Amino acid sequence: MHKEALLAHRKQKSEDTSTLLGGQLPNKVVHDNNYIPLMTTGPDVSEKQMQEKPQSFQHAILIALPEDRHQPKPVIVVGPAGVGRTTALEKLIVDWATGKHLQHFSCVFHFTFRDLNAHKGVLSLQALLLQCYSHLCPESLALVLQNPKSLLFLFDGLDQYQHSLEPPTSLTLCSDPQQPASVSMLVASLVHGPLLKGAAILLTSRPTAASLESLDGYRVELLGFLKPQRKAYCERFFSDPIVASQAFENIERTMGFYDFCTSPRFCWTTCSIYKSLMEAGEILPETLTQVFVYITVHLIRALSLDTTNARDLVTSLGRMASHCCLGPDSNCSKEEMASTDVQQFLTTPTSLKDFLHVDGDLESDNCIFSFHTQKIQEFFLAASFYLDESEAVSVEEMLENHEGCVEFLDLYLAGLCEPSQRKPLESELGEFNTDHIMDFSSWFKSTSRKALESYHTDRHLHYFHLLHQRQNEKLVKEIIIPSARGISYGVLGVHDCVSLSYIVTCMGEWDQLNLYSSKDLTEEKANLLVPAIRLSHKIILVQSSLSAGALAHLASALSQGRTTELDMSYNPMGDTGFKVLCTGLGDCNIQTLKLPVCGLTEACCGDLVAVLTSEKSHLRVLELRGNPFHDQGLRKLSHALGSPHCKLQELQLPRCELTGGSMEALSIALCVGQSELRILNLAQNCLTDQGVDWLAKALQYPCCQLQSLILFDNELTAACCAGVAEALQSEGCRLTELDLSVNALGQEGALQLCKALNKPGHPLEKLRLVRCELTPLVFKELGILLSSGTSGLRTLSVGLNKIGDEGAKHLWVALGDKRCSLEHLDVEMIQLTDACVGDLSVAVRASGSLKSLVLKNNHLTDTSVPALVQVMQDSRTMQEMNLQYNDFSEDMFEMMDQCAKIKY
Ligand SMILES: Nc1ncnc2c1ncn2[C@@H]1O[C@H](COP(=O)(O)OP(=O)(O)OP(=O)(O)O)[C@@H](O)[C@H]1O
């Protein structure tokens, strides 16, 4: 009987009218079978789980209100305005009344907090129920109330409740359904338990309600419509599937990135307006501004006002909007409304409700008026600015006056500034004030330029949003300056991705898309960035983490794009992620690929080989530092190096856990005649002398193109030097750079190298023997080599060898020799003292080639400073002297500052 009565009552109420902005009445939504399941976080679901799998409201409620409930806590359903709380309750009641679920409750009672506010005086709960549900008879109700566990009380709209949910402290809560009390006491007693202890309580509220904070219960956050629900909504709204998909795609493209798109009420408004546009054969809007232009046109046309009155109405609504924005409650009392003149145009209750939300009886002095949403409120504010004929307020003042209380104002001002976007509105309201349009245009140009010159990502993105709203390609090209392009856009929201892609697309190409430290680049965002990726020459995704879905979009964008450099350093993509990325690497324009520390192992080498040997690959530089490939992995890669399609010129393999075991395969690949490899970095592995012997063999072959070989820190000893020396002396060797630092070569090994380098015409230009246990004798030989006239050495690094002033003396002598062509000398931490500075100064003065000298970490003191400063000031060739970490006192800093070429 109760169920039938509830259903009958609802059916009768569903005849009421709906409004464009207010929405379709909840009863009607459910009755007409237009209900789309709302999404929630559900009770007791962690944020992470939720992001992965939000659940429907119905499902969340079934979990929160099971048959065997132990906890008497209330269920609190929270969500922003228009998210569908009332409709969800409506659906709950109808489903219960039609036997679909929650059948363990014998009775469901539904109240709105707004109605409860109207109850004055005292009455018992039983009396209240009889008053609200006139079909119930006292006897049967009394029986029902005897079994509280079978009762469900629904309370809608806590944010509108004028009382507190906490009972007055002086009074004890009421526990008897027949005991008279104030309504606020009855509600508090139900929620806190003594009244009908065990009954289930479900409350709904906007997040703004003050009582929420102190209320203990299961919270269910309503998310509204996510993308699949919006799709379902469009399909339900438009009977023709083609039209539905057209509308859905347009909504997603134009607005899907705004939070408010999750609001079912907004979906209703948008679909309604799209429907009328489609029926009139008009094209659908491309920006949020255009959507609101059409909404306003629709509302105004319904009033049949002439242009002057329509213009005055929008101006009045603008005044009201400003009042609501600036006031504490975002609304107007009846008295305040009088000063806006709005009601002069909206003379019937229906027309008034079409434009505004009316709270309370229109006849009553307590009636409150507000806009249906903040979005339309700000739209009227923006439109009225352009309609204002006076010069009273500039755009800057207007924005300043409303700063902190508006969200979309500058977005609408930007959209309305464009003639094509405001045109439909101008045909209803007359032309906009051109002075205000020009004022906005020049304000926009100057502020956007400043913002884009800054290094504040947020400011860049904000102006990208505004430019996107304007949809003016010529303007984008005028405003975006090259310096705006280097900044990192690592933390992007969905809206940011859309706007950034729009900007890049307008520009036609982009030098560097810097997405450094993108931790939240979801599949959806990556998809939206595809146009920007395709047009970017260089992409930086250092320290980012991308899901497999996001990597797939990146890969597909690369395969069609013009990107030549991709830096994905420190991405924990692993072999599986890399496999996905490889789908786009085989046929793309990438020449430089940086993948250091990406968790790659031997398992991905097959994919890498496929990329390297692809006929369409343009890869020249591959950086794989810090990935544990082990010998097995490098053996596989070596096959690729020998392939005629592999165009690799630089391979970086430091810290890849390699040993001498893989060097034979590498050596063979280097000298089979196909490899174009010029730079090979094998630092910080464990190649040992045996491994280097294999490389040395390859160096002797004329087919081996290697010019730079880095063997830093590879557990080498003097035993490898014979092979290296032999290679250096061979005709085929093209090596111009050799780094054997941090290996125990010792005197014996180093002397062999010096001897080999004495060969006239040798190509070696850069030699690094840092921390190689060198002795003064080696320095003597190096000195002889440098001044022999046969050496082409330009760079020599011999730091961290304990040789002191005596050993270094040989280098100073050589430097002073006209035949020495050394340009860069690094003698960091070789125990130099002030005693060497005399010879050093003479050498630097005499040298015709030296440009930089590194003297870091030695024992030079204040005594040496005047001479060193003087020599740097006098030298015509010297560009830098590094004196960091010597024993200088602060007194010397001023003197060293006199010479910009000194670093200390
Ligand atoms: N699940 C749904 N399926 C279809 N339409 C819905 C759904 N939920 C809400 N709507 C539409 O959205 C409008 C607003 O919904 P509702 O009034 O339930 O929201 P609310 O959260 O109670 O709003 P308020 O914050 O104003 O109280 C409804 O009038 C209806 O047109």
Side-chain angles (χ1 to χ4, degrees):
M1 153 79 172
H2 181 53
K3 285 182 174 174
E4 284 99 61
L6 286 183
L7 288 173
H9 177 65
R10 303 200 122 65
K11 192 168 176 195
Q12 183 193 341
K13 272 190 17 187
S14 71
E15 302 304 322
D16 286 350
T17 50
S18 311
T19 63
L20 178 67
L21 295 171
Q24 196 179 22
L25 283 177
N27 303 305
K28 195 161 168 57
V29 173
V30 179
H31 183 261
D32 291 357
N33 211 14
N34 288 336
Y35 183 88
I36 302 293
L38 289 166
M39 289 293 121
T40 69
T41 59
D44 303 333
V45 179
S46 76
E47 202 172 309
K48 189 164 179 298
Q49 275 174 309
M50 206 293 297
Q51 277 172 4
E52 282 159 11
K53 209 171 186 312
Q55 50 184 284
S56 77
F57 173 75
Q58 252 64 14
H59 183 70
I61 294 305
L62 291 184
I63 293 175
L65 296 173
E67 196 164 355
D68 53 347
R69 267 174 319 115
H70 302 299
Q71 284 287 344
K73 283 183 186 175
V75 178
I76 310 157
V77 179
V78 184
V83 75
R85 289 183 312 269
T86 307
T87 313
L89 286 198
E90 192 60 33
K91 173 78 174 146
L92 204 74
I93 295 166
V94 171
D95 281 355
W96 171 77
T98 50
K100 293 210 178 96
H101 56 56
L102 294 174
Q103 296 305 299
H104 47 286
F105 293 110
S106 66
C107 256
V108 174
F109 299 113
H110 175 222
F111 300 93
T112 67
F113 278 106
R114 190 192 301 156
D115 291 345
L116 290 173
N117 290 333
H119 283 274
K120 309 289 174 218
V122 291
L123 78 175
S124 69
L125 176 65
Q126 192 163 333
L128 177 70
L129 290 171
L130 288 171
Q131 221 178 70
C132 298
Y133 295 95
S134 51
H135 58 271
L136 294 175
C137 70
E139 294 75 26
S140 57
L141 180 62
L143 268 179
V144 165
L145 296 184
Q146 278 175 18
N147 183 9
K149 278 202 145 195
S150 70
L151 304 179
L152 172 59
F153 285 84
L154 306 173
F155 293 97
D156 191 16
L158 178 61
D159 44 283
Q160 299 195 329
Y161 195 36
Q162 287 163 358
H163 307 283
S164 164
L165 274 185
E166 290 299 315
T169 41
S170 55
L171 299 171
T172 45
L173 290 164
C174 126
S175 56
D176 180 354
Q178 298 190 355
Q179 179 189 342
S182 66
V183 166
S184 60
M185 176 60 94
L186 293 181
V187 175
S189 305
L190 272 170
V191 171
H192 293 290
L195 186 56
L196 297 182
K197 196 170 174 49
I201 310 287
L202 189 153
L203 306 127
T204 79
S205 176
R206 290 186 185 178
T208 44
S211 315
L212 267 184
E213 259 177 40
S214 55
L215 192 59
D216 185 22
Y218 289 114
R219 269 177 96 112
V220 175
E221 305 278 346
L222 267 185
L223 302 170
F225 288 171
L226 307 182
K227 204 168 170 175
Q229 288 75 44
R230 291 200 286 273
K231 189 162 188 271
Y233 188 86
C234 288
E235 282 161 1
R236 190 76 55 93
F237 192 97
F238 299 96
S239 40
D240 180 343
I242 297 172
V243 173
S245 110
Q246 216 181 329
F248 170 68
E249 273 160 28
N250 184 283
I251 291 176
E252 292 308 306
R253 191 173 61 243
T254 318
M255 293 170 290
F257 39 86
Y258 292 115
D259 291 348
F260 56 71
C261 250
T262 53
S263 157
R265 182 178 288 149
F266 187 68
C267 290
W268 155 263
T269 307
T270 315
C271 286
S272 307
I273 213 74
Y274 278 26
K275 190 169 184 214
S276 67
L277 286 172
M278 284 165 160
E279 281 167 2
E282 305 256 12
I283 48 167
L284 296 181
E286 277 305 323
T287 66
L288 183 67
T289 306
Q290 275 176 332
V291 173
F292 278 95
V293 163
Y294 286 124
I295 290 173
T296 310
V297 166
H298 183 95
L299 291 172
I300 285 175
R301 278 192 190 152
L303 295 175
S304 309
L305 297 174
D306 63 19
T307 309
T308 318
N309 278 324
R311 194 178 180 98
D312 287 348
L313 167 62
V314 175
T315 311
S316 310
L317 286 164
R319 263 199 299 278
M320 179 183 167
S322 179
H323 176 92
C324 290
C325 281
L326 299 173
D329 304 318
S330 303
N331 58 32
C332 274
S333 66
K334 204 161 186 184
E335 198 185 331
E336 287 162 339
M337 270 300 274
S339 66
T340 64
D341 293 337
V342 170
Q343 273 173 288
Q344 167 189 335
F345 304 99
L346 306 177
T347 44
T348 65
T350 318
S351 63
L352 197 61
K353 284 182 183 171
D354 277 348
F355 277 82
L356 301 174
H357 178 76
V358 182
D359 204 353
D361 185 353
L362 263 175
E363 303 306 317
S364 146
D365 283 347
N366 295 334
C367 183
I368 300 286
F369 301 85
S370 57
F371 286 92
H372 284 289
T373 62
Q374 194 193 346
K375 296 174 291 296
I376 188 84
Q377 173 176 302
E378 291 183 25
F379 183 79
F380 283 126
L381 187 58
S384 69
F385 169 76
Y386 285 127
L387 293 176
D388 187 2
E389 293 300 339
S390 73
E391 299 301 313
V393 183
S394 70
V395 66
E396 204 159 357
E397 287 165 335
M398 157 93 160
L399 290 169
E400 249 172 51
N401 292 345
H402 295 90
E403 197 179 333
C405 49
V406 288
E407 204 182 326
F408 307 98
L409 182 59
D410 55 357
L411 212 69
Y412 294 136
L413 288 170
L416 288 172
C417 180
E418 295 296 329
S420 58
Q421 300 208 43
R422 61 175 189 261
K423 198 170 160 218
L425 206 52
E426 282 189 320
S427 22
E428 300 299 319
L429 308 175
E431 283 194 3
F432 281 15
N433 181 337
T434 43
D435 289 339
H436 283 312
I437 299 275
M438 275 158 61
D439 180 24
F440 181 84
S441 293
S442 61
W443 171 86
F444 184 82
K445 271 188 191 161
S446 70
T447 54
S448 58
R449 285 229 167 91
K450 258 191 228 147
L452 295 170
E453 273 164 15
S454 82
Y455 284 90
H456 297 286
T457 312
D458 290 357
R459 295 180 62 197
H460 281 228
L461 294 173
H462 183 65
Y463 278 92
F464 289 175
H465 294 176
L466 296 183
L467 282 166
H468 178 235
Q469 196 60 212
R470 292 188 70 165
Q471 295 283 308
N472 182 336
E473 188 180 319
K474 199 165 149 251
L475 186 73
V476 173
K477 286 190 169 137
E478 197 183 321
I479 283 180
I480 300 294
I481 38 171
S483 66
R485 304 180 193 179
I487 188 171
S488 161
Y489 299 120
V491 187
L492 296 175
V494 176
H495 189 182
D496 303 326
C497 296
V498 172
S499 306
L500 182 57
S501 269
Y502 167 74
I503 298 292
V504 176
T505 308
C506 288
M507 296 298 289
E509 63 177 334
W510 201 250
D511 294 342
Q512 178 173 297
L513 182 62
N514 189 345
L515 302 173
Y516 175 84
S517 197
S518 291
K519 299 284 185 237
D520 186 28
L521 197 58
T522 57
E523 182 175 350
E524 182 190 12
K525 291 183 197 174
N527 187 20
L528 293 168
L529 283 174
V530 165
I533 295 172
R534 264 185 219 158
L535 294 170
S536 296
H537 292 286
K538 179 173 176 181
I539 294 168
I540 299 180
L541 275 163
V542 176
Q543 282 190 12
S544 304
S545 51
L546 282 78
S547 64
L551 281 168
H553 287 299
L554 173 64
S556 98
L558 293 173
S559 72
Q560 302 149 20
R562 58 176 61 175
T563 306
T564 54
E565 182 168 345
L566 174 64
D567 188 348
M568 301 210 52
S569 310
Y570 305 101
N571 266 264
M573 68 175 96
D575 298 325
T576 351
F578 183 63
K579 196 175 194 60
V580 179
L581 185 65
C582 282
T583 56
L585 294 178
D587 179 12
C588 68
N589 280 312
I590 293 201
Q591 295 175 10
T592 301
L593 179 60
K594 297 187 179 171
L595 298 165
V597 196
C598 288
L600 308 182
T601 71
E602 181 222 327
C604 81
C605 289
D607 297 311
L608 195 50
V609 168
V611 169
L612 288 169
T613 54
S614 152
E615 239 174 285
K616 292 180 178 161
S617 164
H618 293 85
L619 214 54
R620 300 275 185 284
V621 178
L622 184 56
E623 157 69 290
L624 295 170
R625 167 189 314 261
N627 291 295
F629 287 117
H630 298 276
D631 291 338
Q632 203 51 31
L634 181 56
R635 279 195 203 106
K636 287 187 189 165
L637 285 185
S638 299
H639 289 306
L641 293 178
S643 150
H645 298 305
C646 177
K647 300 173 192 76
L648 212 58
Q649 295 183 354
E650 178 175 339
L651 180 58
Q652 297 283 340
L653 289 167
R655 285 191 289 112
C656 289
E657 302 193 15
L658 308 174
T659 75
S662 50
M663 291 303 116
E664 181 180 359
L666 180 59
S667 171
I668 292 170
L670 289 174
C671 53
V672 288
Q674 312 284 1
S675 165
E676 295 185 21
L677 206 65
R678 283 161 176 68
I679 301 173
L680 178 60
N681 186 347
L682 291 161
Q684 293 174 288
N685 285 297
C686 184
L687 303 189
T688 68
D689 299 328
Q690 184 204 2
V692 172
D693 281 347
W694 279 109
L695 291 174
K697 281 195 185 99
L699 287 174
Q700 299 177 39
Y701 280 82
C703 296
C704 173
Q705 309 278 334
L706 268 195
Q707 292 172 2
S708 167
L709 180 59
I710 314 294
L711 297 170
F712 179 103
D713 191 10
N714 262 295
E715 300 191 13
L716 309 181
T717 71
C720 76
C721 291
V724 175
E726 194 183 334
L728 289 172
Q729 280 178 309
S730 74
E731 285 301 321
C733 181
R734 300 164 193 239
L735 225 48
T736 57
E737 178 175 12
L738 177 62
D739 188 347
L740 288 164
S741 300
V742 194
N743 288 298
L745 304 185
Q747 175 171 295
E748 185 198 338
L751 287 179
Q752 293 182 63
L753 297 177
C754 291
K755 202 167 156 209
L757 291 172
N758 252 324
K759 184 181 151 241
H762 195 280
L764 202 72
E765 292 178 0
K766 293 181 187 166
L767 178 62
R768 293 201 179 84
L769 296 171
V770 176
R771 222 180 94 188
C772 283
E773 300 175 15
L774 306 185
T775 61
L777 185 60
V778 176
F779 272 59
K780 186 177 173 196
E781 285 305 315
L782 283 170
I784 294 169
L785 174 70
L786 288 171
S787 51
S788 65
T790 55
S791 160
L793 273 187
R794 301 265 183 279
T795 299
L796 179 64
S797 301
V798 282
L800 283 89
N801 290 295
K802 296 178 192 163
I803 50 102
D805 296 333
E806 271 312 299
K809 201 169 180 167
H810 302 293
L811 295 184
W812 311 138
V813 172
L815 266 183
D817 194 308
K818 292 279 170 268
R819 286 166 297 178
C820 171
S821 51
L822 206 63
E823 293 174 4
H824 308 282
L825 176 60
D826 183 346
V827 283
E828 176 183 0
M829 215 190 237
I830 60 165
Q831 301 180 338
L832 296 178
T833 71
D834 294 329
C836 79
V837 172
D839 293 340
L840 184 158
S841 303
V842 172
V844 173
R845 272 205 180 82
S847 166
S849 58
L850 199 66
K851 291 179 184 164
S852 76
L853 178 58
V854 179
L855 294 164
K856 275 188 339 191
N857 275 310
N858 281 297
H859 305 310
L860 304 177
T861 70
D862 293 356
T863 337
S864 301
V865 174
L868 292 171
V869 171
Q870 192 60 51
V871 80
M872 285 304 282
Q873 281 171 341
D874 295 347
S875 169
R876 278 178 293 112
T877 55
M878 283 295 281
Q879 292 166 359
E880 184 175 292
M881 178 181 280
N882 189 331
L883 292 171
Q884 290 170 325
Y885 315 116
N886 276 285
D887 301 332
F888 305 132
S889 71
E890 285 187 14
D891 302 344
M892 291 295 117
F893 292 172
E894 201 178 319
M895 185 181 283
M896 288 192 276
D897 279 338
Q898 286 170 13
C899 183
K901 297 190 275 187
I902 292 185
K903 246 173 117 178
Y904 64 92

